[in-house]
Amino acid sequence: MGKRTFMVLLAGILCVLSGCGSMFNHFYTSESDFKGSQEIELDDTTQVVKSYAALRRVVYNMINNHLETAELLISGYSGDVVSDIASICGSANTDTAYGAYCVEYASYELTQIVSYYEVTINITYKYTQEELSDLLTTPNNESFSDLIAQELAAGKTHTVTKVNNGSGESDAVEKRIRQACRNHPTVISFVPEVSVKVYSGNTSQRIYEVEAVPDERLERNAERLQSLAGALNAAKRGIHTAGDAWTVINAARYLAGSCELSATGSTAYDALITGKADSEGMAAAFKALCDKLDVGCQVVEGQQDKTAHYWNIVSIDNAYYHVDVSEMQTGEAAALLLSDLEKQASCWWDLTEYPTCEGPLTYDAVTAAGA
């Protein structure tokens, strides 16, 4: 324990009173205990920090709970307090996705009292807690894309979503949103034009701010979906189902017979209601038909002759096959139940984004066996 020592020197004083001078020629020492940091009286709300990790957690907890001020003691710290707190506060608006989105800046007041520090941390936010109450949360990119498709279908042109395990920059996120809209043609009747801002930090967490370009089709989405539902019900009655393979073939025949391939018309609504659509519209319509017929299906975005082209991948007995209704005018065998190798003869797509198609079925084998 340290000692606080006071020394008083009384010497060289000549007393005028006889016999008194000798009693002042001495040093006097007074000692009293010094209360160290471990003896500071703490109340229940005082935070005591001893490490960089603990100090960092304090700031992260403030941000996550939208707290503006925190007071704490730093005692027995293993590191450079001044440097560490400056670094942590300086990166409060860049270190995490949430901080990047909502923190303007963080500041601190640091007072050293012998062997410990008193600290006040202040955080200024870009948005109020009420403004952040509409923040959405999803676990990963896939659920995020599906959620945004639903939000757009509900007419929301601006959304902010925290994705706990996300990845990708703006262009990749925009592409995922468009793909989700194509794969949910009975939820949203077209693919809106969107722009995305990405907020990230040093973790896998991301915050995506999505802005959709205003479109009158958003306002008419419910009406368009109602018309589409009627067309799908009629199509289901007209498609003979005898196992998934024949269901796929008959659904493709139905769509090719009721929709004319066109340079415009990129939605299932165009294909099934107006009767004219491009490859994107046909692929969306075929996805809608497969959903109605309980066949696993997704839309593929790729290229043909260096231009954008769309088709489908279907699931039959846990195996995958390509189906391209827009190519059926060249012959059904060249468009239905294709493997990756067969489809790669005319098209390109990102193989990492879609399941591998190498199932045992072929169009010729299925049709030769008969329905």
Side-chain angles (χ1 to χ4, degrees):
M1 179 69 69
K3 300 291 186 177
R4 179 177 295 159
T5 305
F6 298 94
M7 296 190 300
V8 180
L9 174 64
L10 302 177
I13 302 175
L14 183 62
C15 181
V16 296
L17 296 176
S18 175
C20 293
S22 60
M23 64 180 296
F24 291 102
N25 283 329
H26 298 281
F27 289 97
Y28 291 91
T29 301
S30 175
E31 299 179 349
S32 61
D33 289 341
F34 169 69
K35 292 187 176 182
S37 59
Q38 70 271 28
E39 298 180 55
I40 298 170
E41 294 184 3
L42 306 176
D43 60 36
D44 293 337
T45 64
T46 304
Q47 298 183 75
V48 180
V49 171
K50 296 181 180 295
S51 67
Y52 177 90
L55 183 57
R56 193 166 178 259
R57 280 196 299 271
V58 169
V59 176
Y60 282 12
N61 180 67
M62 290 179 67
I63 295 171
N64 290 336
N65 292 282
H66 208 271
L67 302 177
E68 296 181 355
T69 302
E71 296 181 349
L72 57 141
L73 296 178
I74 299 178
S75 175
Y77 190 85
S78 55
D80 185 337
V81 173
V82 177
S83 175
D84 287 353
I85 194 169
S87 173
I88 292 169
C89 288
S91 61
N93 60 355
T94 59
D95 217 16
T96 66
Y98 193 70
Y101 176 69
C102 70
V103 173
E104 189 73 51
Y105 62 88
S107 61
Y108 62 92
E109 297 176 7
L110 182 66
T111 303
Q112 184 175 9
I113 303 178
V114 188
S115 62
Y116 69 95
Y117 294 85
E118 291 182 349
V119 183
T120 300
I121 298 175
N122 298 291
I123 297 179
T124 300
Y125 296 92
K126 300 174 186 176
Y127 309 101
T128 67
Q129 195 161 18
E130 290 73 19
E131 289 173 321
L132 294 172
S133 61
D134 291 334
L135 187 73
L136 305 173
T137 302
T138 62
N140 51 47
N141 284 331
E142 182 178 356
S143 59
F144 158 76
S145 302
D146 291 343
L147 174 63
I148 296 305
Q150 294 171 2
E151 293 292 301
L152 290 168
K156 295 182 180 179
T157 58
H158 179 264
T159 57
V160 181
T161 307
K162 180 171 68 173
V163 181
N164 292 327
N165 186 21
S167 63
E169 297 306 316
S170 298
D171 55 348
V173 179
E174 291 166 5
K175 181 179 178 180
R176 283 199 293 266
I177 293 172
R178 291 193 296 269
Q179 185 71 3
C181 291
R182 292 189 192 101
N183 280 320
H184 293 286
T186 58
V187 172
I188 183 164
S189 62
F190 75 109
V191 180
E193 182 180 346
V194 298
S195 61
V196 176
K197 291 182 180 178
V198 178
Y199 301 88
S200 62
N202 297 323
T203 69
S204 61
Q205 187 184 90
R206 297 286 187 275
I207 286 183
Y208 301 134
E209 185 174 13
V210 179
E211 194 78 37
V213 175
D215 192 307
E216 59 88 17
R217 289 175 293 182
L218 276 179
E219 299 175 3
R220 297 178 51 234
N221 187 56
E223 174 191 337
R224 287 163 60 90
L225 291 178
Q226 186 174 7
S227 298
L228 182 61
L232 290 171
N233 288 331
K236 184 177 182 180
R237 292 191 296 268
I239 296 172
H240 177 62
T241 58
D244 285 351
W246 269 109
T247 299
V248 166
I249 292 172
N250 289 330
R253 288 172 173 173
Y254 178 92
L255 180 57
S258 59
C259 178
E260 177 185 345
L261 182 63
S262 171
T264 59
S266 60
T267 71
Y269 181 92
D270 294 316
L272 292 171
I273 303 300
T274 69
K276 290 185 178 182
D278 57 18
S279 67
E280 184 177 4
M282 284 192 165
F286 189 73
K287 163 65 175 171
L289 286 172
C290 286
D291 287 349
K292 191 70 176 178
L293 298 168
D294 296 322
V295 174
C297 180
Q298 60 184 296
V299 177
V300 181
E301 179 181 8
Q303 291 184 356
Q304 185 179 59
D305 298 327
K306 297 183 180 181
T307 60
H309 188 69
Y310 301 84
W311 65 95
N312 302 90
I313 289 178
V314 296
S315 173
I316 301 173
D317 296 330
N318 298 316
Y320 296 94
Y321 306 86
H322 294 273
V323 172
D324 193 342
V325 180
S326 68
E327 289 293 296
M328 287 181 65
Q329 73 273 10
T330 64
E332 291 186 355
L336 306 180
L337 302 181
L338 303 179
S339 67
D340 281 346
L341 186 60
E342 291 169 319
K343 191 60 178 171
Q344 283 173 325
S346 60
C347 292
W348 176 93
W349 67 99
D350 188 341
L351 294 171
T352 64
E353 293 187 359
Y354 302 97
T356 300
C357 297
E358 53 185 14
L361 299 177
T362 66
Y363 171 82
D364 289 339
V366 172
T367 54

